[in-house]
Amino acid sequence: DGGITQSPKYLFRKEGQNVTLSCEQNLNHDAMYWYRQDPGQGLRLIYYSQIVNDFQKGDIAEGYSVSREKKESFPLTVTSAQKNPTAFYLCASSEDQGAVAPLHFGNGTRLTVT
Amino acid sequence: AQSVAQPEDQVNVAEGNPLTVKCTYSVSGNPYLFWYVQYPNRGLQFLLKYITGDNLVKGSYGFEAEFNKSQTSFHLKKPSALVSDSALYFCAVRDGRGNNRLAFGKGNQVVVIP
C-alpha cells in the first residue's frame, strides 16, 4: 500500500537532547511537509520541501532542522533549542507543488520531552 | 496571509440528525478550500476540496460542503450523522495565487450521541 510512514509512534527524550523523527513516503510525491499539532491550536507548519535538496521554513521553524536528500525521505530534527518540544508531529506529502492537491498524512509521532 | 476560522470548539449532534461544521476563511486571491478529519492518535484524512466550479462539493463518507463566496464560508455538512463520525474536523485554505502554504483552522471536535 502506498502511504506515509512515521516512526516511532511514541518518543521520549530528556531535555537538552536532540531527537530525529522519521518520515518516509512511497507515493512518489514531490512535496513534503512537517506540522506540529498542539491541543486547541490546530496544525502549524514547521518546514516544507517542494523538491529534493531544497526546503523552506514554515511558521514555527525555530529549534527545528530538516533535510531532503532523497525524494521519499524528509526527517525532522528537534534540537535542544526548541523551547517547548512536547507535541504531536505530523508529516505530510502532496503530489504537486501548486495548490490543488490534497495532503496525505502519516499517523504522527508523539514526542514527550521531560 | 490566508487564515481560517472554525468558531465552535465542539459540535454535539444526535445520531441520525444533520451535522454541520462551520468554517470561514480569508485569502487575497481565489480560495482553494479543504476539509480533513482526524481520529484519535492518527494523521488527518482528506474529505473533500473546492477549487473551482460547482459550489456544492461532495466528498468521502457522505460528507459535502458548500462554498459561499459572499460569506467567505465553506461549511461541512452531512445529512445524517453516525456515531463513527465522532472525530476532529479541520478546515484549511490555500491562496490560489500560488502561495503553497495551507492554513489550517483550530479544528472542531464533533461528538455524535447515540
Side-chain angles (χ1 to χ4, degrees), chain A residues 9 33 35 37 40 42-43 45 48 50 57-59 88 90 97-103 105-107 110, chain B residues 32 34 36 38 41-46 49 51 88 90 94-96 98-102 104-107:
Chain A
K9 190 173 178 64
Y33 311 81
Y35 288 90
Q37 184 177 15
L43 275 68
L45 182 64
Y48 65 102
Q50 295 180 310
K57 292 181 179 180
D59 300 318
F88 190 50
L90 288 163
Q97 300 172 17
V100 301
L103 299 183
F105 284 85
N107 282 328
R110 190 168 296 280
Chain B
Y32 294 169
F34 302 81
Y36 292 85
Q38 184 182 33
N41 295 311
R42 301 295 295 272
L44 278 65
Q45 297 176 31
F46 168 70
K49 67 179 180 181
I51 304 300
L88 191 56
F90 289 95
R94 269 185 174 138
D95 190 328
N99 183 325
N100 199 33
R101 294 190 180 190
L102 191 63
F104 284 87
K106 292 184 177 183

Side-chain angles (χ1 to χ4, degrees), chain A residues 90-106:
Chain A
L90 288 163
C91 180
S93 69
S94 66
E95 66 179 67
D96 69 17
Q97 300 172 17
V100 301
L103 299 183
H104 296 252
F105 284 85

Side-chain angles (χ1 to χ4, degrees), chain B residues 4-45:
Chain B
V4 167
Q6 294 184 247
E8 300 162 314
D9 289 334
Q10 182 163 313
V11 175
N12 296 327
V13 61
E15 186 177 22
N17 281 4
L19 169 63
T20 298
V21 189
K22 295 180 180 177
C23 170
T24 58
Y25 64 89
S26 173
V27 293
S28 301
N30 290 325
Y32 294 169
L33 293 152
F34 302 81
W35 274 102
Y36 292 85
V37 62
Q38 184 182 33
Y39 298 98
N41 295 311
R42 301 295 295 272
L44 278 65
Q45 297 176 31

